[in-house]
Amino acid sequence: MSAKESIHGSWSSGWAFMLAATGSAVGLGNIWKFPYITGQNGGAAFVMVYLLCVLLIGIPVMIAEITLGRRGRQSPMNTMYTLAIESGHSPLWKYLGFMGVFAGFIILSYYSVIAGWAVYYMILSSMSEFTGITAAGANAKFGNFTQDPVYLLFFHTIFMLMTMYVVSLGVRSGLEKATKFMMPALFVILLILDGYAMNTNSFDKGVGFLFQPDFSKLTWSVVLTAMGHAFFTLSLGMGAIMVYGSYMPKRASIAKASFVIAIADVLVALLAGIAIFPVVFANGLEPSSGPGLLFITLPLAFGHMPWGALFGTLFFILVTFAAWTSSISLLEPAVTWLVENHRFKRIKATFVAGLIIWVLGIFTVFSFNKWAFKFTLIGKTYENGFFNIFDILTANIMLPLGGMLIAIFAGWYMSQQASRDELEVKEWMYMTWRFLVRYISPFAILIVFLNVIGVIKL
Ligand code: TRP
């Protein structure tokens, strides 16, 4: 093993890195979260801001995060520490890594509960439970399920065990292979769903909702949610992609990988939106109905199409897989750190971190039933207590903040020679990236933050 390889192993090729990182990016964020927050934030104007954020902030920050990871070759804390020292700056940068681990714990704690819903829906579909279902029926099914904390806890436990199983094996076993067949299959089944949506009487309305912006609906809080989602969906700002980058072979191209990952990720989200909104409008459902949107609308589609039970089962299997390849990347930074700094065996590190996350998940389990309190924040009302608090704290605050610091570090603190050496792209591309991470991404994030809290008014 060369000195510049991670002690945790590495991907078999640049292609394997791309698959794993795409697996991390594509997940519940694209299929479940993107449609429901688009519905809550008024549709196309939100979508446009999200796309702009992916382009101007997401891709440059992704390139920065992978670059730091490959240069440091360790857990995010130790990578930040090493790189800061190497370039003559404060070791305090390592706390960026800790913030990431903390964010990852909170995200995974609720992510796992929602992934558990997909597991349950896979079972329902395989028992033909959706055949001929009505909108009211689909609503009631979802309502009854989420009212019951015992069910939610059970499926949350199953999903956490699945995540811990793969992480304890290490990044290479299983993970690479899973993504290889999952991605194409997910694409195909989303296209089938889009075909169904095309045959509803509300296709134009659904697609218009996604793509015809009404910019009067934009508020700074909507902009923040769109920006936060760009980070969430690309797995940025908490060290997940940094750790994956640390396993990346030296010869693979960081810039090319980042574009491919971002394009695949956006495509899956848009295909999911196109599948869902026509069905929402055709059945008189509310686009702003919240986290249940996917689980209420798609049973209607599967319940009324030929081979619906089969396609439905396949779809929820694929959603579970997509969530699985994402959840492992949320746990990985903490595990690498426990192995490096506390000499834990990988399996023990996974168990300890996983247990803490599992316990945290209980807050989300109760957010949909016993503790479903409402609260209002900057003009928006949220109905699902802790779940919403966890989501806002991470997606809207910690990830953009983490991303801003990553951009600042890569653009201002890391030596040009180091980043040039990792990126190895044409001069104009390097200069464009450097300009974006130095000036555009951090300031854009800062401006959105300041406007939301009302310090400045644009
Ligand atoms: N990107 C994944 C999704 O869209 C979720 C995810 C995985 C994530 N790793 C992350 C989000 C790291 C933020 C940070 O479902």
Side-chain angles (χ1 to χ4, degrees):
M1 192 162 88
S2 78
K4 289 241 18 163
E5 214 173 86
S6 165
I7 59 161
H8 309 281
S10 62
W11 308 113
S12 52
S13 63
W15 173 234
F17 164 79
M18 199 127 80
L19 277 174
T22 310
S24 165
V26 175
L28 294 174
N30 310 61
I31 304 165
W32 158 76
K33 194 175 184 193
F34 171 74
Y36 102 73
I37 58 175
T38 298
Q40 284 181 330
N41 288 282
F46 170 85
V47 177
M48 299 303 136
V49 178
Y50 148 75
L51 291 175
L52 196 69
C53 289
V54 168
L55 198 65
L56 288 183
I57 305 175
I59 294 176
V61 170
M62 180 178 290
I63 294 176
E65 196 171 328
I66 301 174
T67 301
L68 297 185
R70 193 166 70 179
R71 190 100 193 145
R73 291 266 185 239
Q74 298 154 74
S75 64
M77 294 78 153
N78 292 332
T79 285
M80 289 314 299
Y81 178 84
T82 310
L83 296 182
I85 299 287
E86 184 186 273
S87 51
H89 298 289
S90 163
L92 291 179
W93 277 101
K94 74 167 183 242
Y95 288 103
L96 178 55
F98 282 105
M99 181 174 80
V101 164
F102 187 52
F105 275 37
I106 303 177
I107 295 173
L108 184 51
S109 79
Y110 75 74
Y111 202 86
S112 166
V113 176
I114 312 293
W117 298 0
V119 176
Y120 177 69
Y121 268 61
M122 169 187 88
I123 298 171
L124 285 184
S125 187
S126 72
M127 302 192 316
S128 300
E129 287 274 332
F130 303 141
T131 312
I133 203 167
T134 59
N139 242 317
K141 235 185 194 59
F142 179 74
N144 290 339
F145 170 53
T146 47
Q147 275 313 302
D148 190 341
V150 177
Y151 267 79
L152 299 192
L153 190 64
F154 177 75
F155 289 104
H156 163 53
T157 309
I158 298 225
F159 189 80
M160 268 319 288
L161 288 174
M162 287 165 57
T163 303
M164 287 156 70
Y165 173 69
V166 174
V167 173
S168 70
L169 289 180
V171 285
R172 275 187 56 185
S173 343
L175 212 166
E176 290 185 23
K177 281 172 230 126
T179 323
K180 231 177 261 181
F181 88 89
M182 187 204 89
M183 282 297 152
L186 188 62
F187 248 81
V188 171
I189 207 147
L190 281 172
L191 288 176
I192 293 174
L193 277 169
D194 289 341
Y196 176 83
M198 233 173 262
N199 286 315
T200 61
N201 57 13
S202 302
F203 189 67
D204 293 349
K205 195 167 173 205
V207 171
F209 182 77
L210 272 175
F211 296 111
Q212 285 167 2
D214 168 4
F215 287 106
S216 68
K217 289 191 174 152
L218 276 189
T219 61
W220 280 105
S221 142
V222 170
V223 172
L224 176 64
T225 308
M227 181 175 84
H229 188 63
F231 283 97
F232 185 93
T233 189
L234 296 173
S235 303
L236 297 177
M238 56 73 67
I241 288 295
M242 197 185 288
V243 178
Y244 276 24
S246 77
Y247 309 141
M248 189 181 188
K250 176 73 183 92
R251 56 188 191 287
S253 162
I254 293 177
K256 207 197 289 164
S258 300
F259 276 98
V260 173
I261 296 162
I263 289 168
D265 190 71
V266 165
L267 219 55
V268 172
L270 296 180
L271 288 179
I274 294 171
I276 287 175
F277 286 108
V279 180
V280 168
F281 293 118
N283 291 280
L285 297 169
E286 230 4 275
S288 63
S289 64
L293 189 67
L294 171 84
F295 295 93
I296 295 167
T297 37
L298 289 192
L300 283 166
F302 292 124
H304 296 272
M305 66 166 75
W307 303 82
L310 176 69
F311 286 140
T313 311
L314 270 178
F315 175 80
F316 285 110
I317 290 178
L318 291 170
V319 173
T320 305
F321 264 100
W324 199 4
T325 54
S326 301
S327 63
I328 51 184
S329 73
L330 286 160
L331 188 52
E332 185 69 14
V335 170
T336 49
W337 179 71
L338 288 173
V339 171
E340 285 167 8
N341 289 38
H342 295 276
R343 298 175 178 281
F344 278 32
K345 287 252 186 318
R346 208 177 160 84
I347 190 157
K348 181 173 161 201
T350 309
F351 180 78
V352 171
L355 188 66
I356 298 173
I357 295 165
W358 179 81
V359 172
L360 265 182
I362 295 171
F363 286 89
T364 294
V365 163
F366 285 116
S367 296
F368 295 93
N369 36 69
K370 302 235 173 348
W371 303 342
F373 60 84
K374 274 189 200 182
F375 64 96
T376 304
L377 193 70
I378 331 185
K380 278 201 224 168
T381 304
Y382 300 88
E383 307 212 340
N384 298 106
F386 284 108
F387 160 71
N388 286 122
I389 293 175
F390 287 172
D391 183 36
I392 293 168
L393 180 67
T394 51
N396 292 8
I397 300 172
M398 293 172 87
L399 299 181
L401 189 64
M404 181 165 90
L405 293 170
I406 287 168
I408 291 175
F409 188 87
W412 296 90
Y413 287 80
M414 194 180 196
S415 75
Q416 269 209 53
Q417 193 211 337
S419 52
R420 233 180 245 284
D421 190 39
E422 288 299 327
L423 282 175
E424 287 189 315
V425 286
K426 294 198 186 70
E427 184 58 19
W428 71 268
M429 281 175 88
Y430 178 78
M431 291 316 283
T432 310
W433 168 76
R434 195 170 151 84
F435 179 75
L436 288 169
V437 286
R438 274 168 84 88
Y439 301 104
I440 305 299
S441 316
F443 287 106
I445 298 166
L446 188 68
I447 287 170
V448 177
F449 275 149
L450 293 180
N451 273 289
V452 169
I453 56 176
V455 174
I456 55 173
K457 282 254 164 289
L458 282 185

